[in-house]
Amino acid sequence: MPPSPTQWVPNNTISAAFRVRPATTLDGSLSAATDAAVRTAWRAGALLGAVALLAVSCSASPAVDTGPLGKGSDPGGICGFLHPGEVFSYGETFLQNTGGSDAVITKVDLVHVRNLRLLASYVVPIKANWDMGAGGGFPLPPEPGIEWSQRAIAVGAAIPPPAHGVRHYDLLTVLKPTGPLARAEGIDVFYQEAGTRYHMQTDYRFVLFVGKQCPDNWPLKYPDD
């Protein structure tokens, strides 16, 4: 049986976890080139749940994290162990629109990225009081309140103000290492609301090892770029 993840981030209050089935894709839009990566599931040691709180980064641009979608996450980080060909799915970027009209996402990207590709990004409505979670492989979360069937491709997705029982939305990003050590310092989300452009940049980094376990001191050994 697939093992359970050891710990979730950025804190210990998250109760939902990915359950991955072999040969399961996010949807039919994924290209055939990713098919081998899709055929993954939780394996022993698939994720080491190391957590480190990091200093909040400052930005010279006042437009960063000032819009109605907020900051997306608390400062922190995660280190994950993946098998060759495996992808990493992260569904903890929090999106809640405090504006008066829909916030429409125009671009999703990675911050200070090395050896890491963003394969796909999705917006998922959340009615429960937990988030999607994170782990190796493509997710298929069955927990009630995670409205997986209503997911939308992130670019072009409209995030409305809270209504109809939806507490917030999670941004799911699917990441693929292109080397034995892959890193990114956060996620960029560009969007528009009421005719104004905004830029969210999470202060949450990813350190992913392929075929090697995460060292206990990974936050010190692999600091922010």
Side-chain angles (χ1 to χ4, degrees):
M1 295 178 59
S4 298
T6 56
Q7 188 179 33
W8 299 108
V9 290
N11 52 51
N12 293 324
T13 64
I14 302 167
S15 59
F18 288 150
R19 290 175 174 84
V20 183
R21 298 176 184 172
T24 297
T25 62
L26 288 169
D27 62 26
S29 68
L30 292 178
S31 68
T34 66
D35 184 67
V38 171
R39 300 176 184 277
T40 59
W42 280 109
R43 301 179 178 94
L47 175 66
L48 291 181
V51 178
L53 291 179
L54 310 176
V56 177
S57 60
C58 296
S59 172
S61 171
V64 174
D65 295 339
T66 62
L69 291 186
K71 296 172 59 177
S73 73
D74 292 329
I78 185 171
C79 187
F81 162 78
L82 300 174
H83 290 266
E86 194 171 28
V87 299
F88 185 81
S89 295
Y90 183 75
E92 293 296 327
T93 303
F94 180 94
L95 304 175
Q96 187 173 58
N97 184 1
T98 61
S101 61
D102 289 357
V104 179
I105 295 176
T106 58
K107 183 179 179 181
V108 178
D109 209 346
L110 299 175
V111 181
H112 296 161
V113 61
R114 288 193 290 177
N115 297 330
L116 194 61
R117 288 176 54 210
L118 177 61
L119 284 188
S121 56
Y122 288 78
V123 169
V124 184
I126 305 296
K127 294 182 179 180
N129 59 357
W130 54 79
D131 293 298
M132 292 190 65
F138 286 108
L140 185 63
E143 284 82 2
I146 296 178
E147 303 302 315
W148 185 242
S149 64
Q150 300 177 34
R151 67 193 180 275
I153 295 173
V155 176
I159 313 272
H164 308 299
V166 176
R167 296 172 60 94
H168 65 278
Y169 292 77
D170 280 344
L171 177 69
L172 169 70
T173 48
V174 182
L175 311 175
K176 179 163 181 71
T178 59
L181 172 60
R183 300 176 59 182
E185 301 304 320
I187 299 173
D188 275 329
V189 179
F190 298 88
Y191 62 99
Q192 298 182 11
E193 191 269 335
T196 302
R197 297 180 180 181
Y198 296 100
H199 176 193
M200 170 198 291
Q201 185 176 97
T202 66
D203 184 20
Y204 198 89
R205 63 187 168 113
F206 306 93
V207 179
L208 304 177
F209 289 88
V210 178
K212 179 181 177 181
Q213 299 287 346
C214 295
D216 292 338
N217 65 338
W218 71 266
L220 299 177
K221 191 172 182 180
Y222 303 95
D224 290 350
D225 287 338

